[in-house]
Amino acid sequence: MLVIRADLVEDVMAHAREEHPHEACGIIAGPEGAERPERFIRMVNAAKPSGDEAAEAEERALRSVVLSGDHAEYQGEQRSSTTYYTFDRKERLRVNDEMDDRDEWPVVIYHSHTRSPAYPSQVDIDYASGPLSDPRIHYVIVSTREGAPPTVGEYEFRSFRIVDGEVTEEDVEVVESYMFSHTGADDVPDRA
């Protein structure tokens, strides 16, 4: 089960709505060894056009390797940032270093689907099952498509464990604080 604060759910959904029609992506870090997502980290979807020709060429080259064969298209069209996400490699390395310095790990990796249900695609499963996979990670997928059925509050917000290509959906419990869920102390950040 993923236990997550309501403010983090709102952060994920706000990011997904802002990026729509492109897929949003990011990480929610937490203390190493704890299943408590705490620090929201918005990431750049490197598949989204940026105007940086060198970065876009690098992303296209990577996409041609990762999204070969059956994964190259989504419903008859070339995959793009509207149907695919990938972290910017330099940003991901910087965030990993930052998490290491803070003794954190990626409790949640999230992204949005803009035209499909909040369920892992085969590309998502392959990505989560890759060489850097970690069975502890909660993979959250939200859908920003019109008419998405709510699963958490008013949002289609679902969490999965993906291990060796096997997808297991898990319950999501939204709490105002982790006071009674995990820590014994109120962890909700002060809001100005």
mmCIF file of all heavy atoms in Angstrom, residues 93-140:
data_model
loop_
_atom_site.group_PDB
_atom_site.id
_atom_site.type_symbol
_atom_site.label_atom_id
_atom_site.label_comp_id
_atom_site.label_asym_id
_atom_site.label_seq_id
_atom_site.Cartn_x
_atom_site.Cartn_y
_atom_site.Cartn_z
ATOM 1 N N LEU A 93 20.729 12.370 -12.943
ATOM 2 C CA LEU A 93 21.988 12.183 -12.206
ATOM 3 C C LEU A 93 22.123 13.219 -11.091
ATOM 4 O O LEU A 93 22.525 12.889 -9.972
ATOM 5 C CB LEU A 93 23.182 12.248 -13.153
ATOM 6 C CG LEU A 93 23.354 11.046 -14.077
ATOM 7 C CD1 LEU A 93 24.458 11.318 -15.099
ATOM 8 C CD2 LEU A 93 23.651 9.787 -13.286
ATOM 9 N N ARG A 94 21.765 14.482 -11.388
ATOM 10 C CA ARG A 94 21.837 15.547 -10.377
ATOM 11 C C ARG A 94 20.892 15.229 -9.219
ATOM 12 O O ARG A 94 21.262 15.342 -8.047
ATOM 13 C CB ARG A 94 21.490 16.899 -10.999
ATOM 14 C CG ARG A 94 21.563 18.054 -9.993
ATOM 15 C CD ARG A 94 21.031 19.342 -10.560
ATOM 16 N NE ARG A 94 19.676 19.289 -11.059
ATOM 17 C CZ ARG A 94 18.576 19.265 -10.309
ATOM 18 N NH1 ARG A 94 18.680 19.256 -8.994
ATOM 19 N NH2 ARG A 94 17.386 19.243 -10.865
ATOM 20 N N VAL A 95 19.668 14.816 -9.537
ATOM 21 C CA VAL A 95 18.685 14.493 -8.498
ATOM 22 C C VAL A 95 19.151 13.271 -7.694
ATOM 23 O O VAL A 95 19.019 13.249 -6.462
ATOM 24 C CB VAL A 95 17.283 14.284 -9.113
ATOM 25 C CG1 VAL A 95 16.324 13.650 -8.113
ATOM 26 C CG2 VAL A 95 16.730 15.610 -9.622
ATOM 27 N N ASN A 96 19.707 12.260 -8.354
ATOM 28 C CA ASN A 96 20.228 11.093 -7.623
ATOM 29 C C ASN A 96 21.323 11.504 -6.654
ATOM 30 O O ASN A 96 21.354 11.041 -5.506
ATOM 31 C CB ASN A 96 20.757 10.037 -8.590
ATOM 32 C CG ASN A 96 19.655 9.246 -9.247
ATOM 33 O OD1 ASN A 96 18.490 9.331 -8.883
ATOM 34 N ND2 ASN A 96 20.021 8.458 -10.254
ATOM 35 N N ASP A 97 22.246 12.369 -7.095
ATOM 36 C CA ASP A 97 23.314 12.856 -6.209
ATOM 37 C C ASP A 97 22.725 13.620 -5.026
ATOM 38 O O ASP A 97 23.168 13.453 -3.879
ATOM 39 C CB ASP A 97 24.294 13.747 -6.976
ATOM 40 C CG ASP A 97 25.171 12.972 -7.938
ATOM 41 O OD1 ASP A 97 25.242 11.728 -7.832
ATOM 42 O OD2 ASP A 97 25.789 13.618 -8.824
ATOM 43 N N GLU A 98 21.731 14.449 -5.311
ATOM 44 C CA GLU A 98 21.067 15.221 -4.263
ATOM 45 C C GLU A 98 20.389 14.297 -3.250
ATOM 46 O O GLU A 98 20.501 14.504 -2.037
ATOM 47 C CB GLU A 98 20.035 16.138 -4.923
ATOM 48 C CG GLU A 98 19.399 17.159 -4.039
ATOM 49 C CD GLU A 98 18.452 18.030 -4.855
ATOM 50 O OE1 GLU A 98 18.908 18.946 -5.548
ATOM 51 O OE2 GLU A 98 17.226 17.753 -4.789
ATOM 52 N N MET A 99 19.711 13.267 -3.748
ATOM 53 C CA MET A 99 19.071 12.315 -2.836
ATOM 54 C C MET A 99 20.124 11.580 -2.006
ATOM 55 O O MET A 99 19.929 11.395 -0.794
ATOM 56 C CB MET A 99 18.197 11.315 -3.610
ATOM 57 C CG MET A 99 16.905 11.910 -4.118
ATOM 58 S SD MET A 99 15.733 10.700 -4.808
ATOM 59 C CE MET A 99 16.616 10.112 -6.248
ATOM 60 N N ASP A 100 21.233 11.187 -2.623
ATOM 61 C CA ASP A 100 22.308 10.526 -1.877
ATOM 62 C C ASP A 100 22.828 11.434 -0.767
ATOM 63 O O ASP A 100 23.028 10.985 0.365
ATOM 64 C CB ASP A 100 23.456 10.127 -2.802
ATOM 65 C CG ASP A 100 23.128 8.930 -3.676
ATOM 66 O OD1 ASP A 100 22.138 8.227 -3.395
ATOM 67 O OD2 ASP A 100 23.866 8.708 -4.664
ATOM 68 N N ASP A 101 23.035 12.706 -1.089
ATOM 69 C CA ASP A 101 23.546 13.661 -0.092
ATOM 70 C C ASP A 101 22.576 13.845 1.068
ATOM 71 O O ASP A 101 22.990 14.137 2.188
ATOM 72 C CB ASP A 101 23.818 15.023 -0.741
ATOM 73 C CG ASP A 101 25.004 15.009 -1.693
ATOM 74 O OD1 ASP A 101 25.793 14.033 -1.671
ATOM 75 O OD2 ASP A 101 25.137 15.968 -2.488
ATOM 76 N N ARG A 102 21.292 13.686 0.802
ATOM 77 C CA ARG A 102 20.263 13.884 1.827
ATOM 78 C C ARG A 102 19.815 12.569 2.465
ATOM 79 O O ARG A 102 18.866 12.554 3.243
ATOM 80 C CB ARG A 102 19.062 14.588 1.201
ATOM 81 C CG ARG A 102 19.381 15.986 0.706
ATOM 82 C CD ARG A 102 18.239 16.564 -0.097
ATOM 83 N NE ARG A 102 17.084 16.800 0.755
ATOM 84 C CZ ARG A 102 16.402 17.924 0.811
ATOM 85 N NH1 ARG A 102 16.764 18.942 0.051
ATOM 86 N NH2 ARG A 102 15.367 18.053 1.591
ATOM 87 N N ASP A 103 20.489 11.469 2.110
ATOM 88 C CA ASP A 103 20.140 10.134 2.603
ATOM 89 C C ASP A 103 18.676 9.801 2.281
ATOM 90 O O ASP A 103 17.913 9.382 3.140
ATOM 91 C CB ASP A 103 20.418 10.007 4.101
ATOM 92 C CG ASP A 103 20.548 8.551 4.537
ATOM 93 O OD1 ASP A 103 20.892 7.698 3.683
ATOM 94 O OD2 ASP A 103 20.283 8.262 5.719
ATOM 95 N N GLU A 104 18.327 10.007 0.988
ATOM 96 C CA GLU A 104 16.980 9.741 0.499
ATOM 97 C C GLU A 104 17.023 8.717 -0.626
ATOM 98 O O GLU A 104 18.086 8.415 -1.156
ATOM 99 C CB GLU A 104 16.351 11.020 -0.074
ATOM 100 C CG GLU A 104 16.091 12.110 0.924
ATOM 101 C CD GLU A 104 15.603 13.383 0.262
ATOM 102 O OE1 GLU A 104 16.031 13.690 -0.880
ATOM 103 O OE2 GLU A 104 14.791 14.091 0.881
ATOM 104 N N TRP A 105 15.857 8.258 -1.003
ATOM 105 C CA TRP A 105 15.695 7.367 -2.145
ATOM 106 C C TRP A 105 14.371 7.717 -2.825
ATOM 107 O O TRP A 105 13.522 8.379 -2.227
ATOM 108 C CB TRP A 105 15.753 5.910 -1.714
ATOM 109 C CG TRP A 105 14.583 5.418 -0.922
ATOM 110 C CD1 TRP A 105 14.267 5.719 0.374
ATOM 111 C CD2 TRP A 105 13.560 4.538 -1.376
ATOM 112 N NE1 TRP A 105 13.126 5.074 0.753
ATOM 113 C CE2 TRP A 105 12.657 4.342 -0.306
ATOM 114 C CE3 TRP A 105 13.316 3.887 -2.571
ATOM 115 C CZ2 TRP A 105 11.538 3.540 -0.395
ATOM 116 C CZ3 TRP A 105 12.190 3.075 -2.660
ATOM 117 C CH2 TRP A 105 11.321 2.903 -1.584
ATOM 118 N N PRO A 106 14.174 7.287 -4.079
ATOM 119 C CA PRO A 106 12.924 7.598 -4.774
ATOM 120 C C PRO A 106 11.794 6.665 -4.337
ATOM 121 O O PRO A 106 11.625 5.575 -4.883
ATOM 122 C CB PRO A 106 13.276 7.405 -6.255
ATOM 123 C CG PRO A 106 14.384 6.414 -6.244
ATOM 124 C CD PRO A 106 15.151 6.643 -4.956
ATOM 125 N N VAL A 107 11.021 7.084 -3.366
ATOM 126 C CA VAL A 107 9.920 6.269 -2.864
ATOM 127 C C VAL A 107 8.863 6.123 -3.957
ATOM 128 O O VAL A 107 8.300 5.048 -4.148
ATOM 129 C CB VAL A 107 9.301 6.899 -1.596
ATOM 130 C CG1 VAL A 107 8.131 6.058 -1.083
ATOM 131 C CG2 VAL A 107 10.346 7.078 -0.508
ATOM 132 N N VAL A 108 8.617 7.218 -4.690
ATOM 133 C CA VAL A 108 7.621 7.234 -5.756
ATOM 134 C C VAL A 108 8.253 7.780 -7.030
ATOM 135 O O VAL A 108 8.963 8.787 -6.986
ATOM 136 C CB VAL A 108 6.415 8.137 -5.386
ATOM 137 C CG1 VAL A 108 5.484 8.335 -6.579
ATOM 138 C CG2 VAL A 108 5.657 7.576 -4.193
ATOM 139 N N ILE A 109 8.028 7.106 -8.139
ATOM 140 C CA ILE A 109 8.294 7.663 -9.457
ATOM 141 C C ILE A 109 6.922 7.805 -10.102
ATOM 142 O O ILE A 109 6.148 6.847 -10.153
ATOM 143 C CB ILE A 109 9.213 6.765 -10.304
ATOM 144 C CG1 ILE A 109 10.615 6.723 -9.681
ATOM 145 C CG2 ILE A 109 9.270 7.262 -11.752
ATOM 146 C CD1 ILE A 109 11.608 5.834 -10.409
ATOM 147 N N TYR A 110 6.621 9.034 -10.534
ATOM 148 C CA TYR A 110 5.294 9.260 -11.096
ATOM 149 C C TYR A 110 5.384 9.785 -12.517
ATOM 150 O O TYR A 110 6.384 10.363 -12.919
ATOM 151 C CB TYR A 110 4.486 10.243 -10.231
ATOM 152 C CG TYR A 110 4.928 11.672 -10.343
ATOM 153 C CD1 TYR A 110 4.410 12.511 -11.337
ATOM 154 C CD2 TYR A 110 5.866 12.212 -9.467
ATOM 155 C CE1 TYR A 110 4.827 13.827 -11.453
ATOM 156 C CE2 TYR A 110 6.280 13.517 -9.572
ATOM 157 C CZ TYR A 110 5.759 14.329 -10.567
ATOM 158 O OH TYR A 110 6.177 15.622 -10.681
ATOM 159 N N HIS A 111 4.318 9.546 -13.262
ATOM 160 C CA HIS A 111 4.141 10.198 -14.561
ATOM 161 C C HIS A 111 2.661 10.189 -14.914
ATOM 162 O O HIS A 111 1.854 9.527 -14.261
ATOM 163 C CB HIS A 111 5.009 9.562 -15.655
ATOM 164 C CG HIS A 111 4.526 8.263 -16.191
ATOM 165 N ND1 HIS A 111 4.718 7.066 -15.528
ATOM 166 C CD2 HIS A 111 3.865 7.951 -17.327
ATOM 167 C CE1 HIS A 111 4.211 6.074 -16.245
ATOM 168 N NE2 HIS A 111 3.662 6.585 -17.342
ATOM 169 N N SER A 112 2.336 10.970 -15.925
ATOM 170 C CA SER A 112 0.941 11.067 -16.331
ATOM 171 C C SER A 112 0.730 10.412 -17.680
ATOM 172 O O SER A 112 1.641 10.304 -18.493
ATOM 173 C CB SER A 112 0.507 12.535 -16.393
ATOM 174 O OG SER A 112 1.267 13.262 -17.336
ATOM 175 N N HIS A 113 -0.495 9.940 -17.882
ATOM 176 C CA HIS A 113 -0.955 9.503 -19.193
ATOM 177 C C HIS A 113 -1.980 10.530 -19.645
ATOM 178 O O HIS A 113 -2.878 10.885 -18.882
ATOM 179 C CB HIS A 113 -1.593 8.120 -19.115
ATOM 180 C CG HIS A 113 -0.597 7.010 -19.011
ATOM 181 N ND1 HIS A 113 -0.976 5.691 -18.944
ATOM 182 C CD2 HIS A 113 0.746 7.008 -18.972
ATOM 183 C CE1 HIS A 113 0.103 4.926 -18.870
ATOM 184 N NE2 HIS A 113 1.172 5.713 -18.877
ATOM 185 N N THR A 114 -1.832 11.004 -20.858
ATOM 186 C CA THR A 114 -2.684 12.084 -21.334
ATOM 187 C C THR A 114 -3.889 11.603 -22.135
ATOM 188 O O THR A 114 -4.847 12.345 -22.285
ATOM 189 C CB THR A 114 -1.869 13.064 -22.187
ATOM 190 O OG1 THR A 114 -1.344 12.364 -23.321
ATOM 191 C CG2 THR A 114 -0.733 13.666 -21.394
ATOM 192 N N ARG A 115 -3.802 10.377 -22.654
ATOM 193 C CA ARG A 115 -4.896 9.879 -23.487
ATOM 194 C C ARG A 115 -5.316 8.461 -23.138
ATOM 195 O O ARG A 115 -6.137 7.873 -23.835
ATOM 196 C CB ARG A 115 -4.487 9.924 -24.962
ATOM 197 C CG ARG A 115 -4.254 11.343 -25.432
ATOM 198 C CD ARG A 115 -4.014 11.391 -26.903
ATOM 199 N NE ARG A 115 -2.675 10.929 -27.217
ATOM 200 C CZ ARG A 115 -2.212 10.801 -28.443
ATOM 201 N NH1 ARG A 115 -2.974 11.063 -29.470
ATOM 202 N NH2 ARG A 115 -0.980 10.410 -28.649
ATOM 203 N N SER A 116 -4.750 7.897 -22.120
ATOM 204 C CA SER A 116 -5.043 6.505 -21.779
ATOM 205 C C SER A 116 -5.236 6.379 -20.269
ATOM 206 O O SER A 116 -4.889 7.289 -19.514
ATOM 207 C CB SER A 116 -3.907 5.595 -22.262
ATOM 208 O OG SER A 116 -2.703 5.939 -21.629
ATOM 209 N N PRO A 117 -5.775 5.247 -19.837
ATOM 210 C CA PRO A 117 -5.977 5.032 -18.396
ATOM 211 C C PRO A 117 -4.661 5.058 -17.623
ATOM 212 O O PRO A 117 -3.582 4.859 -18.181
ATOM 213 C CB PRO A 117 -6.612 3.642 -18.332
ATOM 214 C CG PRO A 117 -7.203 3.413 -19.678
ATOM 215 C CD PRO A 117 -6.301 4.142 -20.637
ATOM 216 N N ALA A 118 -4.779 5.289 -16.337
ATOM 217 C CA ALA A 118 -3.624 5.299 -15.437
ATOM 218 C C ALA A 118 -3.238 3.853 -15.130
ATOM 219 O O ALA A 118 -3.488 3.324 -14.044
ATOM 220 C CB ALA A 118 -3.954 6.071 -14.165
ATOM 221 N N TYR A 119 -2.640 3.208 -16.116
ATOM 222 C CA TYR A 119 -2.175 1.829 -15.985
ATOM 223 C C TYR A 119 -0.881 1.722 -16.782
ATOM 224 O O TYR A 119 -0.755 2.323 -17.851
ATOM 225 C CB TYR A 119 -3.212 0.820 -16.521
ATOM 226 C CG TYR A 119 -2.854 -0.592 -16.162
ATOM 227 C CD1 TYR A 119 -3.220 -1.118 -14.928
ATOM 228 C CD2 TYR A 119 -2.107 -1.383 -17.035
ATOM 229 C CE1 TYR A 119 -2.849 -2.412 -14.574
ATOM 230 C CE2 TYR A 119 -1.736 -2.674 -16.683
ATOM 231 C CZ TYR A 119 -2.108 -3.179 -15.449
ATOM 232 O OH TYR A 119 -1.735 -4.443 -15.092
ATOM 233 N N PRO A 120 0.107 0.975 -16.284
ATOM 234 C CA PRO A 120 1.401 0.921 -16.973
ATOM 235 C C PRO A 120 1.300 0.358 -18.397
ATOM 236 O O PRO A 120 0.714 -0.702 -18.621
ATOM 237 C CB PRO A 120 2.246 -0.019 -16.103
ATOM 238 C CG PRO A 120 1.572 -0.052 -14.787
ATOM 239 C CD PRO A 120 0.118 0.187 -15.053
ATOM 240 N N SER A 121 1.873 1.088 -19.328
ATOM 241 C CA SER A 121 2.024 0.578 -20.698
ATOM 242 C C SER A 121 3.193 -0.408 -20.704
ATOM 243 O O SER A 121 3.941 -0.512 -19.722
ATOM 244 C CB SER A 121 2.324 1.735 -21.654
ATOM 245 O OG SER A 121 3.622 2.263 -21.376
ATOM 246 N N GLN A 122 3.373 -1.110 -21.805
ATOM 247 C CA GLN A 122 4.507 -2.022 -21.902
ATOM 248 C C GLN A 122 5.827 -1.243 -21.805
ATOM 249 O O GLN A 122 6.792 -1.726 -21.210
ATOM 250 C CB GLN A 122 4.467 -2.835 -23.196
ATOM 251 C CG GLN A 122 5.513 -3.939 -23.233
ATOM 252 C CD GLN A 122 5.367 -4.935 -22.098
ATOM 253 O OE1 GLN A 122 4.285 -5.486 -21.879
ATOM 254 N NE2 GLN A 122 6.440 -5.186 -21.357
ATOM 255 N N VAL A 123 5.853 -0.026 -22.342
ATOM 256 C CA VAL A 123 7.054 0.816 -22.221
ATOM 257 C C VAL A 123 7.315 1.131 -20.752
ATOM 258 O O VAL A 123 8.461 1.059 -20.279
ATOM 259 C CB VAL A 123 6.906 2.113 -23.053
ATOM 260 C CG1 VAL A 123 8.065 3.053 -22.809
ATOM 261 C CG2 VAL A 123 6.791 1.779 -24.537
ATOM 262 N N ASP A 124 6.266 1.482 -19.988
ATOM 263 C CA ASP A 124 6.417 1.756 -18.556
ATOM 264 C C ASP A 124 6.946 0.526 -17.817
ATOM 265 O O ASP A 124 7.816 0.637 -16.945
ATOM 266 C CB ASP A 124 5.075 2.164 -17.936
ATOM 267 C CG ASP A 124 4.500 3.444 -18.516
ATOM 268 O OD1 ASP A 124 5.268 4.289 -18.997
ATOM 269 O OD2 ASP A 124 3.262 3.589 -18.482
ATOM 270 N N ILE A 125 6.413 -0.636 -18.165
ATOM 271 C CA ILE A 125 6.836 -1.881 -17.509
ATOM 272 C C ILE A 125 8.303 -2.169 -17.816
ATOM 273 O O ILE A 125 9.081 -2.501 -16.914
ATOM 274 C CB ILE A 125 5.939 -3.050 -17.950
ATOM 275 C CG1 ILE A 125 4.508 -2.822 -17.457
ATOM 276 C CG2 ILE A 125 6.483 -4.384 -17.455
ATOM 277 C CD1 ILE A 125 3.470 -3.722 -18.099
ATOM 278 N N ASP A 126 8.690 -2.004 -19.079
ATOM 279 C CA ASP A 126 10.090 -2.236 -19.448
ATOM 280 C C ASP A 126 11.013 -1.260 -18.722
ATOM 281 O O ASP A 126 12.081 -1.641 -18.236
ATOM 282 C CB ASP A 126 10.275 -2.106 -20.964
ATOM 283 C CG ASP A 126 9.580 -3.216 -21.737
ATOM 284 O OD1 ASP A 126 9.150 -4.219 -21.125
ATOM 285 O OD2 ASP A 126 9.448 -3.068 -22.969
ATOM 286 N N TYR A 127 10.600 -0.004 -18.646
ATOM 287 C CA TYR A 127 11.401 1.022 -17.968
ATOM 288 C C TYR A 127 11.571 0.671 -16.484
ATOM 289 O O TYR A 127 12.669 0.729 -15.945
ATOM 290 C CB TYR A 127 10.718 2.387 -18.126
ATOM 291 C CG TYR A 127 11.404 3.520 -17.416
ATOM 292 C CD1 TYR A 127 12.581 4.058 -17.917
ATOM 293 C CD2 TYR A 127 10.875 4.053 -16.247
ATOM 294 C CE1 TYR A 127 13.217 5.101 -17.261
ATOM 295 C CE2 TYR A 127 11.506 5.094 -15.594
ATOM 296 C CZ TYR A 127 12.670 5.607 -16.104
ATOM 297 O OH TYR A 127 13.293 6.633 -15.443
ATOM 298 N N ALA A 128 10.465 0.280 -15.831
ATOM 299 C CA ALA A 128 10.508 -0.031 -14.402
ATOM 300 C C ALA A 128 11.239 -1.337 -14.112
ATOM 301 O O ALA A 128 11.685 -1.555 -12.988
ATOM 302 C CB ALA A 128 9.085 -0.103 -13.853
ATOM 303 N N SER A 129 11.367 -2.197 -15.112
ATOM 304 C CA SER A 129 12.018 -3.496 -14.920
ATOM 305 C C SER A 129 13.459 -3.490 -15.409
ATOM 306 O O SER A 129 14.101 -4.536 -15.440
ATOM 307 C CB SER A 129 11.237 -4.582 -15.673
ATOM 308 O OG SER A 129 9.921 -4.652 -15.196
ATOM 309 N N GLY A 130 13.964 -2.330 -15.770
ATOM 310 C CA GLY A 130 15.304 -2.224 -16.334
ATOM 311 C C GLY A 130 16.397 -2.459 -15.318
ATOM 312 O O GLY A 130 16.146 -2.802 -14.158
ATOM 313 N N PRO A 131 17.642 -2.228 -15.738
ATOM 314 C CA PRO A 131 18.794 -2.531 -14.887
ATOM 315 C C PRO A 131 18.859 -1.693 -13.612
ATOM 316 O O PRO A 131 19.487 -2.095 -12.652
ATOM 317 C CB PRO A 131 19.996 -2.248 -15.797
ATOM 318 C CG PRO A 131 19.472 -1.389 -16.891
ATOM 319 C CD PRO A 131 18.027 -1.722 -17.048
ATOM 320 N N LEU A 132 18.196 -0.545 -13.587
ATOM 321 C CA LEU A 132 18.221 0.295 -12.387
ATOM 322 C C LEU A 132 16.954 0.135 -11.554
ATOM 323 O O LEU A 132 16.670 0.945 -10.682
ATOM 324 C CB LEU A 132 18.395 1.767 -12.781
ATOM 325 C CG LEU A 132 19.673 2.089 -13.548
ATOM 326 C CD1 LEU A 132 19.706 3.553 -13.941
ATOM 327 C CD2 LEU A 132 20.903 1.721 -12.728
ATOM 328 N N SER A 133 16.190 -0.911 -11.822
ATOM 329 C CA SER A 133 14.924 -1.094 -11.129
ATOM 330 C C SER A 133 15.143 -1.369 -9.645
ATOM 331 O O SER A 133 16.182 -1.861 -9.225
ATOM 332 C CB SER A 133 14.129 -2.220 -11.777
ATOM 333 O OG SER A 133 14.790 -3.446 -11.610
ATOM 334 N N ASP A 134 14.133 -1.024 -8.862
ATOM 335 C CA ASP A 134 14.166 -1.230 -7.422
ATOM 336 C C ASP A 134 12.759 -1.679 -7.020
ATOM 337 O O ASP A 134 11.802 -0.929 -7.206
ATOM 338 C CB ASP A 134 14.539 0.076 -6.717
ATOM 339 C CG ASP A 134 14.678 -0.057 -5.213
ATOM 340 O OD1 ASP A 134 14.045 -0.960 -4.621
ATOM 341 O OD2 ASP A 134 15.404 0.752 -4.620
ATOM 342 N N PRO A 135 12.609 -2.886 -6.498
ATOM 343 C CA PRO A 135 11.270 -3.392 -6.193
ATOM 344 C C PRO A 135 10.536 -2.609 -5.108
ATOM 345 O O PRO A 135 9.335 -2.772 -4.926
ATOM 346 C CB PRO A 135 11.516 -4.837 -5.760
ATOM 347 C CG PRO A 135 12.940 -4.883 -5.350
ATOM 348 C CD PRO A 135 13.656 -3.850 -6.177
ATOM 349 N N ARG A 136 11.238 -1.730 -4.384
ATOM 350 C CA ARG A 136 10.593 -0.944 -3.329
ATOM 351 C C ARG A 136 9.817 0.247 -3.881
ATOM 352 O O ARG A 136 8.978 0.816 -3.192
ATOM 353 C CB ARG A 136 11.644 -0.398 -2.355
ATOM 354 C CG ARG A 136 12.498 -1.453 -1.690
ATOM 355 C CD ARG A 136 13.575 -0.808 -0.841
ATOM 356 N NE ARG A 136 14.441 0.031 -1.669
ATOM 357 C CZ ARG A 136 15.279 0.957 -1.203
ATOM 358 N NH1 ARG A 136 15.369 1.181 0.088
ATOM 359 N NH2 ARG A 136 16.042 1.656 -2.018
ATOM 360 N N ILE A 137 10.100 0.661 -5.117
ATOM 361 C CA ILE A 137 9.527 1.886 -5.666
ATOM 362 C C ILE A 137 8.045 1.719 -5.970
ATOM 363 O O ILE A 137 7.616 0.716 -6.524
ATOM 364 C CB ILE A 137 10.290 2.312 -6.942
ATOM 365 C CG1 ILE A 137 11.727 2.708 -6.591
ATOM 366 C CG2 ILE A 137 9.577 3.474 -7.652
ATOM 367 C CD1 ILE A 137 12.599 2.986 -7.802
ATOM 368 N N HIS A 138 7.293 2.737 -5.615
ATOM 369 C CA HIS A 138 5.878 2.836 -5.981
ATOM 370 C C HIS A 138 5.832 3.614 -7.301
ATOM 371 O O HIS A 138 6.327 4.735 -7.371
ATOM 372 C CB HIS A 138 5.082 3.611 -4.932
ATOM 373 C CG HIS A 138 5.134 3.014 -3.570
ATOM 374 N ND1 HIS A 138 4.223 2.086 -3.124
ATOM 375 C CD2 HIS A 138 5.999 3.217 -2.549
ATOM 376 C CE1 HIS A 138 4.514 1.752 -1.879
ATOM 377 N NE2 HIS A 138 5.588 2.419 -1.514
ATOM 378 N N TYR A 139 5.264 3.015 -8.331
ATOM 379 C CA TYR A 139 5.111 3.692 -9.620
ATOM 380 C C TYR A 139 3.693 4.249 -9.693
ATOM 381 O O TYR A 139 2.724 3.490 -9.785
ATOM 382 C CB TYR A 139 5.386 2.734 -10.781
ATOM 383 C CG TYR A 139 6.842 2.388 -10.876
ATOM 384 C CD1 TYR A 139 7.348 1.256 -10.251
ATOM 385 C CD2 TYR A 139 7.725 3.216 -11.558
ATOM 386 C CE1 TYR A 139 8.704 0.953 -10.300
ATOM 387 C CE2 TYR A 139 9.076 2.919 -11.615
ATOM 388 C CZ TYR A 139 9.554 1.790 -10.982
ATOM 389 O OH TYR A 139 10.899 1.504 -11.029
ATOM 390 N N VAL A 140 3.590 5.569 -9.590
ATOM 391 C CA VAL A 140 2.295 6.230 -9.627
ATOM 392 C C VAL A 140 2.043 6.718 -11.041
ATOM 393 O O VAL A 140 2.909 7.345 -11.662
ATOM 394 C CB VAL A 140 2.242 7.403 -8.627
ATOM 395 C CG1 VAL A 140 1.034 8.303 -8.890
ATOM 396 C CG2 VAL A 140 2.197 6.868 -7.195
#
